[in-house]
Amino acid sequence: MENIDDTHSTQRGLHGLAALYFKELIRLKEDEDREAFNKLVQTILPDVEGYIASRLSTSVRNGYIPKGKYKVEEFVNALYLQAFERISEIEDERDLPFWLFQKADELLQETIVEEEYNTRFLDDIEKFSKTEWIQMQEDYSVDSEGERTLLEEFNDPSYPKYDYQLVDVFIEDPEDEWIEKLNEELGGDQMHKHINMVLHRLPAPMKSIYDLAVNQRFSAQEISKIKGISVDEVESYLIRTRKHIRTSFKGRYPQRNVQS
């Protein structure tokens, strides 16, 4: 089997690698070589583990599950077992990437009972003062033990990391003068922290669908298959999520004064 170097691959490129090595996975299944099968899945599509970790960390933060009760590894092992036993169900090799994410979602939904709406945050998102936004960011930074604990389970330095960016939020007017000023004065790290904080306060489906679109680069059609909802619902979630993030930036960083 060839060595796989995906260091410089885009997410869509990784999806293509998954399809390319589909026949190899089928062969390993036929040979009952589960160890090699799991290793290949992890190599060609590592992000499914990060997706699971992110979903669990969000649930810990929001109180849907107790801290320390579940480990990412437990869900990953269950997912790989399911993939090994049921990979023959996949008729089109191009379906492998979002089939794995779909199965990951199903495993998580058996454990996590998520609230559809965080009504207080959504109702007040346009009313929060600049001071309140700063306090929320401080509270979020302090209350990050759950996420750190979960993500510390990944000790592979090659594991992909993602930064949330304005370009994925303000997709309709990326050249706006105020947006350029935000990019200039805040810097990538501060923008990432703010978007990450807001996403953790939004309803869980909004964050997970946004992550699938922005970090994993799945299309709305693919996300609809992963989530078992219509394409229109996926697009509605993405529109509302971007709207809430834009509103939060405009509340925390008014156009007349970008400094936090």
Side-chain angles (χ1 to χ4, degrees), residues 53-72:
S54 178
R55 289 282 309 274
L56 286 176
S57 68
T58 300
S59 297
V60 168
R61 283 181 179 275
N62 292 329
Y64 301 142
I65 58 175
K67 184 171 65 179
K69 183 174 182 180
Y70 300 102
K71 290 185 174 294
V72 175

Side-chain angles (χ1 to χ4, degrees), residues 21-257:
Y21 283 87
F22 179 75
K23 290 181 180 178
E24 178 67 13
L25 289 171
I26 294 293
R27 185 190 68 77
L28 292 171
K29 162 63 178 172
E30 292 172 349
D31 292 346
E32 292 294 318
D33 191 343
R34 185 175 163 189
E35 183 178 352
F37 180 97
N38 290 356
K39 185 176 180 181
L40 181 56
V41 171
Q42 185 180 36
T43 302
I44 62 180
L45 202 67
D47 286 34
V48 70
E49 298 184 8
Y51 178 72
I52 291 171
S54 178
R55 289 282 309 274
L56 286 176
S57 68
T58 300
S59 297
V60 168
R61 283 181 179 275
N62 292 329
Y64 301 142
I65 58 175
K67 184 171 65 179
K69 183 174 182 180
Y70 300 102
K71 290 185 174 294
V72 175
E73 183 182 4
E74 296 169 353
F75 288 90
V76 171
N77 289 341
L79 174 63
Y80 286 177
L81 175 60
Q82 201 171 115
F84 185 75
E85 292 178 342
R86 300 176 61 181
I87 193 169
S88 59
E89 295 178 5
I90 304 174
E91 297 180 357
D92 188 331
E93 60 194 25
R94 293 170 296 183
D95 292 346
L96 174 61
F98 55 82
W99 183 86
L100 282 171
F101 278 84
Q102 180 187 55
K103 297 307 173 188
D105 251 15
E106 290 174 0
L107 287 169
L108 289 164
Q109 286 164 5
E110 291 174 3
T111 302
I112 304 169
V113 179
E114 295 174 330
E115 295 178 2
E116 179 69 16
Y117 297 105
N118 181 346
T119 55
R120 183 187 175 280
F121 182 73
L122 293 182
D123 290 344
D124 294 344
I125 195 168
E126 295 184 8
K127 305 173 188 175
F128 291 127
S129 68
K130 191 175 177 183
T131 303
E132 287 175 310
W133 279 116
I134 293 172
Q135 185 60 52
M136 276 190 280
Q137 184 70 66
E138 290 176 355
D139 292 343
Y140 176 80
S141 299
V142 170
D143 186 28
S144 60
E145 183 179 349
E147 185 168 16
R148 285 201 307 271
T149 301
L150 283 165
L151 296 180
E152 279 171 2
E153 295 182 23
F154 300 100
N155 54 15
D156 184 352
S158 67
Y159 187 80
K161 303 293 188 298
Y162 298 101
D163 289 325
Y164 294 115
Q165 301 176 22
L166 282 183
V167 67
D168 295 312
V169 178
F170 294 90
I171 57 176
E172 295 176 356
D173 47 5
E175 304 302 323
D176 183 274
E177 184 179 345
W178 174 68
I179 298 170
E180 290 181 358
K181 191 175 182 183
L182 277 177
N183 272 315
E184 228 174 80
E185 299 194 19
L186 297 183
D189 184 59
Q190 195 168 344
M191 286 186 293
H192 164 77
K193 287 178 179 177
H194 177 81
I195 296 172
N196 196 31
M197 181 266 292
V198 172
L199 284 171
H200 273 83
R201 288 177 175 271
L202 292 178
M206 283 188 174
K207 182 182 187 304
S208 62
I209 287 173
Y210 186 82
D211 282 343
L212 287 169
V214 170
N215 291 339
Q216 309 303 332
R217 298 299 173 186
F218 283 116
S219 68
Q221 289 78 8
E222 291 168 336
I223 296 171
S224 75
K225 294 180 181 180
I226 293 171
K227 292 293 186 179
I229 59 178
S230 70
V231 173
D232 286 346
E233 287 178 284
V234 171
E235 291 175 343
S236 175
Y237 271 119
L238 290 172
I239 289 170
R240 285 182 286 151
T241 302
R242 288 188 170 104
K243 178 184 176 182
H244 293 316
I245 297 172
R246 287 196 297 269
T247 299
S248 73
F249 268 108
K250 290 177 179 179
R252 183 175 180 181
Y253 306 107
Q255 296 187 15
R256 63 181 180 277
N257 179 18

